[in-house]
């Protein structure tokens, strides 16, 4: 038995009788003795209400506040977590609550709701842990809602809208179907083929002479490039036509890259057809050739389907402070050692340090330990300055690396957990929906009539689930699927 320390407070709101009252509560097999004058510090909580009703209420009223009540022992029983309850009792002693290590923050939040305690009584250190878990659950909920959006079959949607959504998923979401995966693989193959052709076309041995004796790309490579451009054009036009928001699609960064990768081919084709002057056409071709290199940026479009590249992007975003610290260290070192190198090398007649801005290049390649050797000191003091500069460069680069790697590991682990949790939640939702159909034949008949689907029932059953994988932020998931209220049946 665990006895709660008794302390008398002058500002308690309970009656004199409740201040003298002591109650025995059994929390998951652990017995506690609590006193009314302590519990009435927070009269809005369940325990304070229980101690105030203990003397003048019937057994039915008392059982409404607990799971069971033994009149002979004057003991209240609660089927709750005893470890979490010990943390709850800290509120009445210290005015703040701390979660013990190892307790799930979301489960502890439900414990606080049961005992009628607001989350504002959590200490700041515990609030940060709770916010982190809530953020992670929000990301899982968003991923689940995205999957449900792809799987929903709303009867109010017209055939044209359904066809548009199907074609958009076919062109934009490889995970939606097998055909979408095939199109994504073909698109990726064309991207690689176009990049290889662009590189191979610059090899002089593979080029041919035109009528004027100038080296141009081989006709076979030109034909392959034309086929790739046709594929890119058809893909871009289809994605533009089937987009739900064409204006936002047109000004998306990656779509701008796609547009710039396609347009140079047609610009060159139009200029050649109009018969532009040779010199002007040559200049245009140089500009077009520079723009064509931007086709390589299309590969980054596949980052949307690669968790590894997404993790790298998120890790770099979360490491902006460390990267800024690295750039600051390098900038200070480059300015300092380039100025010293210029000053120390002025006494040598064959100095390579003609100015401080020109010495910046030497400082950069020295501090990053590249060392091309095109610029190097020739005096003894200049060499000592170079030795100190690359030692400082190694230290400046090594210091922020560990936090950046740590951020990458954290983000990568978090992304894997979110993806696994979302898939697991979807599987549980489908399983609950199938069990509901088996237990409720009338609900199954309604589903077969076309008014709802398995995923609609699954989306609605999430909010009622009490499993360990329950996501509280998915309480409005039914709004995503736009289904009817779930049919509840009782087994007698």
């Amino acid at each position: 038995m665990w006895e709660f320390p008794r302390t008398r407070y002058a500002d308690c709101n309970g009656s004199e009788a409740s201040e003298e009252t002591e109650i025995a509560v059994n929390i998951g097999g652990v017995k506690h003795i609590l006193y009314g004058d302590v519990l009435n510090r927070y009269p809005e909580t369940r325990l304070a209400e229980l101690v105030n009703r203990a003397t003048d209420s019937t057994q039915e009223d008392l059982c409404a506040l607990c799971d069971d009540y033994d009149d002979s022992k004057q003991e209240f029983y609660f089927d709750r977590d005893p470890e979490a309850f010990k943390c709850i009792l800290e509120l009445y002693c210290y005015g703040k609550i701390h979660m013990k290590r190892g307790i799930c923050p979301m489960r502890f939040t439900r414990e606080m709701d049961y005992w009628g305690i607001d989350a504002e009584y959590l200490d700041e250190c515990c609030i940060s842990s709770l916010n982190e878990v809530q953020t992670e659950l929000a990301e899982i909920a968003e991923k689940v809602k995205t999957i449900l959006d792809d799987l929903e079959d709303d009867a109010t949607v017209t055939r044209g809208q359904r066809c548009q959504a199907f074609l958009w998923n076919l062109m934009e979401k490889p995970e939606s179907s097998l055909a979408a995966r095939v199109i994504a693989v073909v698109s990726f193959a064309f991207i690689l083929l176009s990049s290889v052709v662009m590189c191979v076309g610059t090899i002089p041995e593979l080029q041919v002479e035109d009528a004027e004796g100038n080296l141009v790309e081989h006709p076979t490579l030109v034909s392959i490039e034309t086929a790739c451009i046709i594929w890119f054009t058809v893909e871009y036009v289809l994605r533009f036509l089937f987009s739900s928001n064409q204006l936002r699609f047109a000004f998306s960064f990656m779509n701008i890259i796609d547009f710039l990768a396609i347009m140079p081919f047609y610009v060159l084709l139009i200029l050649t057809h109009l018969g532009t002057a040779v010199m002007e056409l040559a200049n245009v071709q140089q500009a077009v050739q520079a723009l064509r290199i931007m086709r390589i940026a299309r590969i980054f479009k596949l980052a949307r389907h690669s968790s590894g590249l997404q993790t790298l992007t998120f890790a770099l975003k979360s490491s902006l402070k460390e990267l800024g610290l690295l750039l600051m260290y390098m900038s200070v070192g480059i300015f300092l050692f380039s100025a010293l190198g210029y000053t120390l090398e002025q006494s040598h007649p064959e100095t390579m340090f003609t100015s401080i801005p020109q010495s910046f290049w030497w400082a950069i390649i020295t501090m990053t330990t590249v060392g091309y050797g095109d610029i190097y000191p020739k005096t003894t003091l200049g060499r000592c300055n170079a030795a100190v500069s690359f030692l400082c460069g190694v230290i400046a680069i090594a210091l922020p690396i560990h936090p950046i790697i740590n951020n990458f590991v954290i983000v990568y682990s978090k992304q894997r957990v979110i993806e696994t949790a979302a898939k697991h939640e979807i599987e549980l939702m489908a399983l609950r929906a199938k069990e509901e159909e088996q237990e409720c034949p009338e609900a199954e008949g309604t589903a077969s009539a076309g008014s709802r689907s398995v995923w609609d029932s699954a989306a609605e059953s999430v909010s009622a689930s009490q499993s360990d994988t329950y996501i509280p932020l998915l309480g409005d998931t039914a709004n995503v699927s736009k289904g009817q209220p779930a049919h509840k049946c009782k087994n007698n």
Side-chain angles (χ1 to χ4, degrees), residues 236 240 243 245-257 259:
Y236 181 86
F240 177 78
S243 174
N245 191 332
Q246 296 179 348
L247 183 62
R248 184 175 63 182
F249 175 89
F251 288 96
S252 175
F253 175 76
M254 292 307 302
N255 294 328
I256 292 176
I257 296 298
F259 181 79

Side-chain angles (χ1 to χ4, degrees), residues 195 198 260-261 264 287-298:
S195 302
M198 181 185 63
L260 293 178
V288 168
Q289 188 66 24
L291 290 175
R292 291 175 63 187
I293 299 177
M294 299 184 66
R295 288 177 306 195
I296 301 176
R298 291 177 56 89

Side-chain angles (χ1 to χ4, degrees), residues 314-376:
F314 294 147
L316 291 178
K317 287 182 178 179
S318 61
S319 303
L320 290 179
K321 292 183 179 179
E322 290 79 5
L323 293 174
L325 190 64
L326 173 62
L327 293 177
M328 185 187 68
Y329 287 160
M330 296 299 295
S331 299
V332 172
I334 289 171
F335 181 81
L336 175 63
F337 293 112
S338 61
L340 288 176
Y342 171 76
T343 303
L344 296 175
E345 288 294 309
Q346 288 303 301
S347 60
H348 198 280
E350 299 179 358
T351 179
M352 297 182 178
F353 297 78
T354 57
S355 65
I356 293 180
Q358 189 268 345
S359 302
F360 285 166
W361 172 246
W362 168 83
I364 292 173
I365 63 176
T366 302
M367 293 192 67
T368 56
T369 67
V370 176
Y372 289 122
D374 53 345
I375 300 177
Y376 56 90

Side-chain angles (χ1 to χ4, degrees), residues 209-328:
E209 294 184 358
D210 57 6
E212 300 177 356
N214 298 321
L215 291 177
V216 295
E217 292 185 4
H218 196 279
T220 303
L221 298 180
V222 174
S223 301
I224 297 176
E225 173 68 14
T226 303
C228 294
I229 290 296
I230 293 175
W231 170 265
F232 296 150
T233 305
V234 172
E235 181 189 32
Y236 181 86
V237 171
L238 291 178
R239 289 169 55 239
F240 177 78
L241 293 177
F242 299 140
S243 174
S244 59
N245 191 332
Q246 296 179 348
L247 183 62
R248 184 175 63 182
F249 175 89
F251 288 96
S252 175
F253 175 76
M254 292 307 302
N255 294 328
I256 292 176
I257 296 298
D258 292 342
F259 181 79
L260 293 178
I262 296 172
M263 286 308 297
F265 175 83
Y266 296 101
V267 171
L268 179 60
L269 189 64
I270 293 173
L271 292 178
T272 304
H273 179 72
L274 293 178
T276 310
V278 177
M279 184 59 65
E280 294 178 355
L281 182 59
N283 294 334
V284 170
Q285 287 178 340
Q286 293 178 358
V288 168
Q289 188 66 24
L291 290 175
R292 291 175 63 187
I293 299 177
M294 299 184 66
R295 288 177 306 195
I296 301 176
R298 291 177 56 89
I299 295 179
F300 293 101
K301 172 187 173 183
L302 301 178
R304 182 174 60 257
H305 313 300
S306 173
S307 59
L309 292 177
Q310 291 176 2
T311 303
L312 178 60
T313 303
F314 294 147
L316 291 178
K317 287 182 178 179
S318 61
S319 303
L320 290 179
K321 292 183 179 179
E322 290 79 5
L323 293 174
L325 190 64
L326 173 62
L327 293 177
M328 185 187 68

